[in-house]
Amino acid sequence: MRRVITYGTFDLLHYGHINLLRRAKEQGDYLVVALSSDEFNAGKGKKSFFTYEERKAMLEAIRYVDMVIPEESWEQKMTDVDKYEIDVFVMGDDWEGKFDFLKEKCEVVYLPRTPEISTTKIKTELHNK
Ligand code: C2G
């Protein structure tokens, strides 16, 4: 059982997120998603449109997702890899290289982002309609 983990805010869920989650699941058999809490987002200077609970419910409805846990700090990745017995860490390549320190514990895979779509773009285009 190859266990995969990925992290993110997943606000205003869109096909770029789904493409990432599908490919992350393809890396193994079980996918854990560490979902940024509202408080952690505030620390990232982000305020998501949907609350943590709303974002969590949407992720849990996705066939590729097996478990959703809270992401509450930048530091938790090392302990998460042990706690959830992770074999593969996956992130979009906008994070290329940023989490290579995890290579001592698990495989680290950066996947190409889906071009042309982002939560920011959705918000901007809706605002300008
Ligand atoms: N993503 C993607 N293509 C897009 C948009 C997002 O592949 N068009 C990927 C991102 O690369 C990331 C995941 O989807 O791997 C979630 O994206 P965000 O919710 O924007 O996550 P982020 O704010 O980057 O938070 O500790 C890591 C952070 O929590 C990541």
Side-chain angles (χ1 to χ4, degrees):
M1 164 84 84
R2 262 166 73 88
R3 298 167 63 86
V4 185
I5 197 167
T6 191
Y7 292 71
T9 302
F10 296 98
D11 192 28
L12 296 184
L13 199 63
H14 56 68
Y15 62 88
H17 296 136
I18 301 301
N19 285 343
L20 188 285
L21 294 170
R22 184 187 68 255
R23 288 174 295 156
K25 182 57 174 285
E26 285 168 0
Q27 298 292 323
D29 312 288
Y30 190 90
L31 176 60
V32 179
V33 179
L35 180 62
S36 307
S37 67
D38 296 329
E39 296 75 17
F40 182 60
N41 273 335
K44 284 195 258 184
K46 278 183 163 184
K47 179 168 180 1
S48 58
F49 182 83
F50 290 120
T51 66
Y52 174 80
E53 288 306 324
E54 289 164 342
R55 290 180 286 121
K56 181 173 185 280
M58 283 186 255
L59 283 177
E60 287 174 338
I62 298 170
R63 71 177 68 178
Y64 310 119
V65 177
D66 296 291
M67 178 192 285
V68 180
I69 63 169
E71 177 185 31
E72 295 165 312
S73 76
W74 291 105
E75 294 72 32
Q76 72 180 74
K77 293 181 176 66
M78 287 293 266
T79 48
D80 286 349
V81 168
D82 290 334
K83 184 175 175 182
Y84 296 97
E85 299 175 270
I86 298 300
D87 301 292
V88 191
F89 169 90
V90 173
M91 284 301 290
D93 63 4
D94 47 318
W95 293 92
E96 182 84 35
K98 299 287 191 307
F99 303 114
D100 287 355
F101 62 87
L102 290 168
K103 285 183 175 175
E104 64 184 76
K105 284 185 176 283
C106 64
E107 290 174 49
V108 174
V109 174
Y110 299 103
L111 297 171
R113 276 175 71 93
T114 301
E116 303 301 313
I117 184 73
S118 68
T119 302
T120 306
K121 178 173 179 172
I122 294 168
K123 285 179 177 174
T124 305
E125 293 198 13
L126 284 175
H127 181 74
N128 295 336
K129 279 213 181 309

